Amino acid sequence: ELNLADTKKWIELFVKKVEANTSELNELDTAIGDGDHGSNMARGMAAVTDALSKKEPADLAELYKTVAFAMIQKVGGASGPLYGTAFLDMSKQAKETTDLAKLVQVGCDGLKRRGQSDVGMKTMIDVWQPVAESLKSDDFSKNVVEDALNATKDMVATKGRASYLEEKSKGHLDPGSQSSAYLFEALLEVLG
Ligand code: ADP
Ligand code: MG
Ligand code: MG
């Protein structure tokens, strides 16, 4: 469970983390992609901040929808529509339930559908799915996030730009998994 005020704090902390680590995300993406993941995400975060400052969301569904639209409209690349779909599906789900485990799983399912991808393909799903599972079993922690992120290092990418490198994609963290790790580290800080 996360109320509207805390969910807003979650998103604001996510924005801060991405803004503080934009060049790190670009560097990760330079190794196995086209070097723009940090810049893409930072553009999205600026749009999120802008949208939230213009209109205070009335409920959880509206908040997630605001994030989704900012990501879809401003991020571009593969990650924009992916994060956008995850947050849009969470927005729809938030009309039915405020259960965080359920919301994150629905977001993850949205990533899978939109990306035609699943766990083990060295994408952000490799962070979202373990986080969703740990929320369900009530053992969500920093370790869960870190272990999930670090596990992407030895994976061979089979989706996204990194998949063009085949075996050479091994030995590098997945950039989208790193930005998703910031998202869930921000959540941990709010859950306290
Ligand atoms: P682009 O690759 O278009 O430059 P970004 O660099 O912003 O886009 O985002 C790359 C990230 O998107 C990857 O690190 C990965 O986590 C994620 N990604 C790419 N393709 C997929 C997919 N099909 N399913 C899930 N996630 C994906
Ligand atoms: Mg890229
Ligand atoms: Mg790109």
Side-chain angles (χ1 to χ4, degrees):
E1 294 276 325
L2 208 59
N3 64 26
L4 178 60
D6 284 342
T7 305
K8 201 176 168 211
K9 269 191 222 158
W10 173 22
I11 299 303
E12 286 166 352
L13 270 172
F14 175 45
V15 168
K16 287 206 185 97
K17 284 181 192 293
V18 169
E19 286 176 343
N21 294 285
T22 301
S23 54
E24 194 206 318
L25 291 171
N26 278 340
E27 278 161 32
L28 290 176
D29 197 33
T30 298
I32 56 171
D34 57 355
D36 62 359
H37 186 59
S39 306
N40 289 344
M41 292 298 293
R43 235 175 12 253
M45 296 299 101
V48 167
T49 303
D50 188 49
L52 290 178
S53 75
K54 281 184 178 141
K55 189 165 181 283
E56 188 68 39
D59 54 26
L60 270 186
E62 210 178 297
L63 173 55
Y64 287 128
K65 194 167 119 183
T66 302
V67 176
F69 281 19
M71 302 299 277
I72 291 167
Q73 287 164 3
K74 297 289 179 194
V75 176
S79 56
L82 286 162
Y83 273 109
T85 300
F87 280 106
L88 200 55
D89 286 4
M90 287 164 77
S91 168
K92 289 175 192 154
Q93 186 65 36
K95 291 173 182 159
E96 314 290 325
T97 176
T98 55
D99 180 63
L100 198 55
K102 180 79 189 159
L103 286 169
V104 172
Q105 184 61 64
V106 162
C108 182
D109 292 344
L111 292 175
K112 292 177 185 174
R113 190 183 73 249
R114 175 77 211 203
Q116 296 183 290
S117 41
D118 209 334
V119 290
M121 294 176 162
K122 198 179 179 100
T123 72
M124 54 179 86
I125 290 164
D126 291 306
V127 167
W128 280 71
Q129 187 58 62
V131 167
E133 266 152 33
S134 71
L135 283 166
K136 279 178 234 169
S137 57
D138 238 347
D139 53 13
F140 178 46
S141 69
K142 199 163 167 63
N143 278 337
V144 170
V145 179
E146 280 176 3
D147 289 352
L149 171 63
N150 288 329
T152 67
K153 193 162 184 172
D154 290 326
M155 290 179 188
V156 174
T158 54
K159 282 283 174 182
R161 268 173 209 286
S163 67
Y164 308 154
L165 296 177
E166 299 178 345
E167 280 291 321
K168 289 195 183 103
S169 63
K170 260 193 181 179
H172 304 277
L173 292 177
D174 170 55
S177 295
Q178 178 66 76
S179 59
S180 295
Y182 294 142
L183 174 67
F184 294 118
E185 282 164 9
L187 176 58
L188 277 165
E189 285 175 33
V190 173
L191 292 174

